[in-house]
């Protein structure tokens, strides 16, 4: 199918360049890849063989929103898809458990909002948060330096994480647990961080912390 898909993708890239002529090739490639519809779920047996999915020119310009797990299976995949999109929204269904170990490095502004209902039209970030379940081998959510100051993370219960050792000179030690933010300023709201391990001592019981 490459002989047929190549001109379609090239045409989409040309449209993207005409809309944003000042952008570089990496950004153009990113938004063209984002515009593909995720279709693994409707093609059982071909998961991972369909590239980024089905080309969608309309989405190239009008739909900077992804729904998890409806359109993308997990939060990490959605964030990676939007690595080159600006001020996009990731809408995550509330009440679902997402096995995550999410490392965020993009400097693009993202709105990552949990607690949506099954139709992704209304949300209850406090009463029905999305559950991010770590595997106990590191922070559940790690936000690296230079993530855009306008990035917002809202409506999640973060659990099952474990601190990692960072060598920071005089401040070396165990950092993270559920949430680790490194030299970044992001907006956090309606987060319940509980059931994480900050240190290796089993006799310590850490209190629940809610970020409001």
């Amino acid at each position: 199918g490459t002989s047929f898909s190549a001109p379609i993708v090239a045409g989409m890239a040309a449209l993207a360049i005409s809309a944003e002529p000042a952008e570089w090739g990496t950004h153009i490639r990113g938004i063209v890849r984002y515009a593909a519809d995720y279709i693994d779920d409707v093609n059982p047996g071909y998961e991972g063989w369909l590239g980024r999915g089905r080309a969608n020119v309309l989405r190239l310009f009008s739909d900077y929103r992804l729904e998890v797990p409806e359109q993308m299976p997990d939060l990490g995949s959605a964030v990676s898809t939007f690595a080159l999109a600006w001020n996009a929204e990731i809408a995550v269904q509330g009440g679902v458990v997402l096995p995550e170990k999410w490392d965020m490095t993009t400097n693009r502004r993202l709105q990552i909002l949990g607690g949506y209902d099954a139709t992704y039209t209304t949300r209850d970030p406090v009463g029905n948060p999305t559950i991010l379940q770590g595997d106990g081998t590191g922070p559940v959510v790690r936000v690296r330096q230079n993530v855009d100051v306008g990035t917002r993370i809202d409506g999640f219960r973060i659990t099952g994480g474990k601190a990692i050792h960072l060598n920071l000179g005089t401040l070396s030690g165990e950092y993270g647990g559920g949430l680790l933010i490194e030299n970044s300023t992001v907006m956090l709201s309606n987060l319940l961080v509980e059931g994480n391990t900050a240190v290796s001592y089993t006799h310590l019981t850490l209190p629940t912390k809610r970020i409001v």
Side-chain angles (χ1 to χ4, degrees):
T2 55
S3 60
F4 189 78
S5 62
I8 295 175
V9 174
M12 289 180 66
L15 289 171
I17 292 170
S18 68
E20 301 189 45
E23 292 292 348
W24 291 89
T26 53
H27 177 74
I28 297 300
R29 183 169 64 248
I31 61 176
V32 169
R33 284 161 60 89
Y34 155 70
D37 295 326
Y38 180 80
I39 58 173
D40 277 358
D41 287 348
V42 295
N43 292 275
Y46 292 92
E47 296 87 347
W49 292 87
L50 302 173
R52 295 297 295 189
R54 178 180 52 230
N56 187 335
V57 179
L58 178 63
R59 190 175 182 189
L60 186 69
F61 299 104
S62 62
D63 182 11
Y64 277 78
R65 186 176 192 260
L66 275 178
E67 297 169 353
V68 179
E70 180 69 22
Q71 295 174 327
M72 296 295 281
D74 56 71
L75 189 56
S77 298
V79 171
S80 297
T81 298
F82 273 142
L84 294 171
W86 183 261
N87 206 29
E89 178 185 339
I90 299 174
V92 193
Q93 186 175 338
V96 300
V97 179
L98 298 178
E100 292 283 346
K101 195 175 177 184
W102 162 37
D103 195 333
M104 185 174 181
T105 59
T106 179
N107 65 351
R108 296 286 171 168
R109 183 172 301 176
L110 297 178
Q111 309 301 308
I112 306 168
L113 309 178
Y116 271 95
D117 69 353
T119 65
Y120 296 93
T121 54
T122 63
R123 58 188 295 261
D124 181 3
V126 175
N128 188 35
T130 304
I131 302 166
L132 303 182
Q133 178 67 54
D135 60 6
T137 62
V140 181
V141 178
R142 185 173 184 177
V143 181
R144 304 276 187 161
Q145 63 180 350
N146 300 323
V147 171
D148 189 87
V149 67
T151 294
R152 177 183 170 202
I153 303 173
D154 180 297
F156 295 93
R157 176 175 174 258
I158 301 173
T159 187
K162 184 178 181 180
I164 57 174
H165 183 81
L166 296 180
N167 187 7
L168 304 175
T170 58
L171 298 177
S172 294
E174 306 295 316
Y175 291 91
L179 178 64
L180 174 59
I181 299 177
E182 303 176 46
N183 197 26
S184 287
T185 303
V186 295
M187 294 184 290
L188 306 174
S189 56
N190 299 310
L191 301 181
L192 181 62
V193 184
E194 65 177 0
N196 302 283
T197 303
V199 292
S200 59
Y201 303 111
T202 57
H203 66 274
L204 291 180
T205 301
L206 301 179
T208 295
K209 299 294 185 182
R210 178 181 289 278
I211 300 174
V212 294

